[in-house]
């Protein structure tokens, strides 16, 4: 049984939050409702009080609410903060760290996993400001249940309707199941005292001062790994190629552009790490020469000669063996067929401890989307991680890393 704070904000879907509270209770959880002032325009607190059998928190200034600094007390005891519906305003407040009411203060104060179910008008949902705020939250490890499409209360037809209560409850169960370690306060997880380096994003290989060869990687997977590793107590270095994602709080962020720069940044730091995870989509080829001036077009075609970049994963794999203090090494593999067989071959070739294999033939997972489905391949076997948020996939990957670290070959003190 978990203690869940159910944040209800001011959208027409607020009435569905009653069903969500009931669904969570049916699964054996204890629910405390936290309502914003706008939410109370839609549903009365009494409804939630009757259902949850707890006083509903509506006001941080109410007498008694601060008797034992309630938002801090609740923040440190809940197993999950679930906000449904989450309005554009609440999403913006969370993304920017505003704390002008009980719910937004609770978000900042808690280290429990956070799941939000946004609901708003289609145009609002698609507005770049809202999209950016959601991206910020996702990069920070917040889980999101996508809104549904259909007829909206405002008369519009489109995406924005609060997800169905049973889907929100199912997502809450998944987060609770998937993040037992993350639920611990920051810095107290299974990677406490460990040093972890993760690479993220694409690399840009310059052709001339204004053009480059690149790829569509957003950096989300690597940033999610950095965020989850920080939660678990690791000292994290994030070496990232060009990415618009905000840096996870607490990570030492090293920004690079090209595969050569990433190689340098990783190789100078790798030996001092306990874990190196290569989540970046590093270019395999780079122009032989970078033109010093912008290349002028002519009527003829243009051929650009490319040469191989250095294989960073391979070079870390060639460091002295794990028994002599080499970091646990995790690589990614993009495959379109025979995913496990190819990943096993890569495991041997790169001397890696774990390969995270992406099936890139899928359109709903992998590059430039929030979700991923992978297969984890190590000497111990292959494990499928079905389609879910990149933060949940990151948690599964780090579970395996913790297991490998606990195995005898890795029981070498950091820096030995
Ligand atoms: N990688 C690297 N250095 C490179 C290229 C890739 O360290 N110059 C890393 C990536 O970060 C990733 C893994 O290697 O962890 C991908 O392996 P790679 O052998 O490049 O395979 P794919 O690109 O997935 O596929 P293929 O084997 O078909 O090239």
């Amino acid at each position: 049984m978990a203690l869940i704070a159910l944040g209800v904000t001011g959208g027409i879907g607020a009435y569905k939050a009653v069903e969500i509270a009931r669904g969570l209770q049916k699964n054996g959880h204890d629910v405390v409702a936290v309502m914003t002032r706008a939410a109370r325009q839609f549903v009365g607190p009494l409804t939630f009080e009757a259902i949850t059998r707890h006083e509903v928190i509506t006001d941080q200034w109410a007498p008694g609410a601060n008797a034992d600094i309630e938002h801090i007390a609740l923040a440190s005891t809940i197993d999950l903060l679930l906000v449904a519906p989450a309005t554009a305003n609440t999403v913006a407040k969370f993304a920017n760290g505003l704390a002008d009411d009980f719910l937004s203060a609770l978000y900042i104060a808690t280290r429990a996993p956070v799941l939000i179910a946004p609901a708003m008008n289609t145009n609002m949902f698609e507005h770049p400001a809202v999209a950016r705020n959601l991206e910020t939250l996702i990069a920070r490890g917040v889980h999101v249940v996508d809104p549904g499409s259909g007829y909206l209360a405002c008369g519009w037809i489109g995406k924005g309707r609060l997800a169905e209560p049973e889907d929100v409850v199912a997502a809450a169960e998944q987060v609770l199941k998937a993040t037992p370690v993350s639920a611990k306060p920051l810095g107290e997880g299974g990677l406490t005292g460990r040093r972890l380096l993760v690479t993220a994003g694409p690399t840009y290989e310059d052709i001339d001062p204004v053009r480059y060869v690149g790829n569509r990687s957003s950096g989300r997977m690597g940033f999610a790994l950095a965020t989850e590793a920080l939660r678990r107590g690791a000292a994290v270095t994030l070496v990232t190629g060009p990415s618009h994602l905000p840096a996870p709080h607490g990570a030492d962020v090293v920004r690079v552009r090209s595969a050569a720069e990433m190689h340098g940044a990783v190789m100078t730091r790798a030996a001092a790490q306990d874990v190196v995870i290569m989540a970046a989509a590093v270019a395999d080829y780079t122009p032989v020469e970078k033109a010093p001036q912008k290349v002028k077009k002519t009527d003829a075609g243009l051929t650009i000669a490319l040469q191989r970049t250095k294989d960073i994963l391979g070079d870390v794999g060639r460091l002295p063996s794990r028994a002599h203090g080499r970091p646990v090494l995790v690589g990614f593999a993009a495959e379109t067929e025979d995913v496990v067989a190819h990943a096993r071959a890569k495991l041997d070739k790169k001397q890696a401890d774990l390969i995270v294999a992406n099936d890139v033939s899928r359109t709903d997972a992998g590059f430039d989307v929030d979700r991923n489905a992978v297969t984890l391949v190590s000497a111990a076997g292959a494990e499928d991680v079905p389609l879910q948020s990149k933060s949940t996939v990151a948690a599964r990957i780090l579970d395996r890393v913790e297991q490998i670290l606990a195995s005898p070959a890795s029981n070498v003190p950091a820096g030995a």
Side-chain angles (χ1 to χ4, degrees):
M1 186 191 89
L3 175 62
I4 299 172
L6 174 62
V8 186
T9 73
I12 183 65
Y15 74 93
K16 288 197 200 169
V18 178
E19 272 308 299
I20 293 170
R22 285 170 61 94
L24 294 168
Q25 283 180 316
K26 271 190 207 150
N27 288 357
H29 304 305
D30 200 10
V31 180
V32 177
V34 178
M35 299 183 77
T36 63
R37 191 207 309 228
R40 300 197 306 272
Q41 304 291 325
F42 291 92
V43 193
L46 207 57
T47 311
F48 285 99
E49 188 178 300
I51 287 193
T52 63
R53 306 217 165 271
H54 285 296
E55 195 177 321
V56 175
I57 302 172
T58 53
D59 185 358
Q60 81 193 118
W61 310 122
N66 296 284
D68 55 357
I69 320 187
E70 197 167 346
H71 56 281
I72 302 293
L74 193 65
S76 54
T77 46
I78 54 175
D79 300 293
L80 174 70
L81 170 59
L82 163 62
V83 184
T87 57
N89 186 46
T90 295
V91 169
K93 286 207 275 186
F94 282 12
N96 291 288
L98 269 73
D100 64 347
D101 63 7
F102 193 95
L103 182 60
S104 48
L106 178 61
Y107 166 72
I108 294 182
T110 192
R111 290 291 173 263
V114 179
L115 171 67
I116 61 171
M120 62 199 77
N121 162 280
T122 307
N123 273 5
M124 291 171 76
F125 185 68
E126 286 172 357
H127 195 282
V130 175
R132 181 71 203 258
N133 287 335
L134 282 169
E135 234 176 51
T136 301
L137 292 177
I138 289 166
R140 214 181 272 158
V142 169
H143 304 267
V144 176
V145 194
D146 274 347
S149 294
Y151 182 76
L152 306 181
C154 54
W156 290 47
I157 293 176
K159 193 167 179 177
R161 195 171 65 181
L162 178 64
E164 290 309 317
E166 60 267 28
D167 294 335
V168 178
V169 172
E173 291 298 344
Q174 244 193 1
V175 173
L176 282 168
K177 207 167 93 196
T179 51
V181 178
S182 310
K184 289 184 183 160
L186 192 66
E188 286 185 21
L191 291 175
T192 302
R194 299 290 191 176
R195 279 173 289 189
L196 182 146
L197 182 149
V198 57
T199 65
T203 63
Y204 287 178
E205 309 303 319
D206 289 335
I207 296 168
D208 68 16
V210 295
R211 303 183 180 95
Y212 60 85
V213 182
N215 62 67
R216 286 195 296 119
S217 168
S218 64
R220 285 192 187 102
M221 193 63 242
F223 277 60
L225 280 159
T227 303
E228 182 61 21
L230 285 163
R231 279 187 185 279
R232 294 178 182 217
V236 174
T237 303
L238 172 64
V239 178
T240 178
S243 168
H244 297 299
L245 299 175
H249 183 67
D252 176 18
V253 180
V254 181
R255 295 195 183 269
V256 298
R257 180 172 174 84
S258 63
E261 282 177 20
M262 187 172 279
H263 183 272
V266 173
M267 295 314 294
T268 51
R269 293 168 175 83
Q273 306 297 320
D274 297 294
V275 183
V276 171
I277 305 181
M278 287 293 309
V282 189
D284 291 320
Y285 294 92
T286 190
V288 173
E289 276 175 41
K290 178 187 165 189
Q293 307 299 335
K294 186 180 163 218
V295 178
K296 287 284 182 195
K297 66 176 163 302
T298 65
D299 288 339
L302 176 68
T303 304
I304 298 170
L306 301 173
Q307 63 189 5
R308 283 297 304 270
T309 53
K310 287 185 185 161
D311 181 354
I312 310 169
L313 183 62
D315 284 352
V316 178
R318 277 186 281 277
L319 289 175
S321 73
R322 278 252 316 286
H324 292 92
R326 196 202 79 181
V328 167
L329 183 56
V330 181
F332 276 66
E335 308 290 355
T336 52
E337 54 175 358
D338 296 337
V339 175
V340 175
H342 283 130
R344 274 192 211 292
K346 200 155 285 177
L347 197 67
D348 287 345
K349 194 170 144 213
K350 308 272 173 137
Q351 296 291 301
D353 300 292
L354 180 66
I355 291 287
V356 182
N358 269 308
D359 181 351
V360 287
S361 61
R362 297 176 69 134
T363 53
D364 56 353
F367 263 28
D368 207 14
V369 291
D370 293 329
R371 294 199 267 182
N372 212 356
V374 299
T375 307
L376 305 181
V377 180
S378 68
E383 176 196 342
D384 279 329
V385 180
L387 188 65
Q388 45 205 310
S389 71
K390 286 185 175 169
S391 45
T392 307
V393 174
R396 294 284 71 75
I397 294 169
L398 292 183
D399 285 347
R400 288 293 284 269
V401 165
E402 286 188 24
Q403 283 167 13
I404 297 169
L405 277 168
S407 70
S410 290
N411 273 339
V412 178

